[in-house]
């Protein structure tokens, strides 16, 4: 795994530990889902249901694949070596990427405005300066928008263990596990 990917793993763990108790459990995903839905006030019921399903699948996949001792929580030790495995997590990441990026396009024009992008990413727990750096790295148009496809691809790249120098590396900041 590349150094950049290892840093992304550490950040993802800290974000998924939404209640800050040092492990990831289903309650963390409930907290994060609630925060994201609160930020997505303009999204329709279909997009809201899709992100709820994606978060639920994400937790189910993590619990099934990583909870080595069956205690209902994922420790950082269980999380680190496996979460960037495309064969185990690829379909889950794709579903999540599609649902989150679609949530950022409530008017269905295929474009995501910076303000909604920032709101959704803040709800997940990323630092604002890093969110803006990521948005800029995606190459927004003159009206300060990116495409849904760009964001979805960026999410998938973020979870790729062999990628470095990607826009998602902008998200790795001061947070650590």
């Amino acid at each position: 795994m590349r150094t950049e990917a290892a840093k992304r793993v550490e950040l993802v763990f800290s974000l998924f530990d939404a209640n800050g108790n040092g492990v990831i459990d289903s309650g963390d995903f409930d907290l994060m889902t609630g925060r994201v839905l609160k930020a997505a006030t303009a999204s329709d019921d279909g997009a809201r249901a899709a992100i709820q399903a994606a978060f639920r699948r994400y937790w189910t996949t993590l619990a099934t694949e990583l909870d080595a001792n069956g205690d209902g929580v994922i420790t950082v030790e269980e999380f680190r070596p496996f979460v960037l495995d495309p064969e185990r997590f690829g379909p889950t990441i794709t579903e999540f990427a599609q649902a989150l990026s679609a949530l950022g396009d409530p008017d269905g024009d295929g474009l995501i405005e910076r303000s909604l992008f920032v709101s959704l990413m803040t709800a997940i727990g990323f630092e604002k300066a890093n969110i803006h750096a990521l948005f800029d790295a995606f190459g927004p148009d003159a009206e300060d928008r990116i495409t849904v496809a760009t964001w979805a691809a960026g999410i998938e790249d973020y979870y790729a263990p062999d990628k470095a120098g990607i826009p998602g590396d902008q998200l790795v900041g001061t947070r650590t596990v």
Side-chain angles (χ1 to χ4, degrees), residues 12-132:
V12 168
F13 185 89
S14 72
L15 297 174
F16 283 168
D17 180 16
N19 66 11
N21 69 351
V23 296
I24 302 170
D25 59 36
S26 64
D28 290 311
F29 277 81
D30 294 340
L31 285 171
M32 188 177 292
T33 301
R35 291 191 319 235
V36 169
L37 290 173
K38 186 175 180 182
T41 57
S43 297
D44 65 28
D45 290 342
R48 294 170 66 80
I51 196 64
Q52 286 177 299
F55 272 122
R56 200 168 21 259
R57 179 177 180 184
Y58 211 132
W59 166 248
T60 300
T61 301
L62 287 177
T64 301
E65 295 289 330
L66 303 184
D67 186 7
N69 61 4
D71 64 356
V73 300
I74 309 295
T75 65
V76 70
E77 291 78 18
E78 291 171 319
F79 189 79
R80 276 186 188 127
F82 300 108
V83 75
L84 296 181
D85 184 339
E87 290 186 23
R88 295 169 93 179
F89 290 98
T92 298
I93 299 302
T94 297
E95 178 184 350
F96 179 76
Q98 291 171 352
L100 184 59
S101 59
L103 200 64
D105 182 25
D107 60 8
D109 66 357
L111 298 168
I112 300 166
E113 289 77 19
R114 183 185 295 262
S115 61
L116 184 51
F117 181 87
V118 170
S119 293
L120 292 170
M121 294 292 281
T122 300
I124 291 171
F126 292 103
E127 302 291 333
K128 281 198 179 187
N130 297 347
I131 296 166
H132 285 287

Side-chain angles (χ1 to χ4, degrees), residues 114-171:
R114 183 185 295 262
S115 61
L116 184 51
F117 181 87
V118 170
S119 293
L120 292 170
M121 294 292 281
T122 300
I124 291 171
F126 292 103
E127 302 291 333
K128 281 198 179 187
N130 297 347
I131 296 166
H132 285 287
L134 172 62
F135 195 86
D136 291 339
F138 282 147
D141 66 14
E143 294 178 40
D144 210 24
R145 304 170 303 182
I146 61 170
T147 67
V148 169
T150 296
W151 192 13
I155 293 168
E156 291 191 55
D157 285 350
Y158 189 87
Y159 288 91
D162 58 339
K163 299 225 175 176
I166 60 170
D169 287 335
Q170 301 298 316
L171 293 173

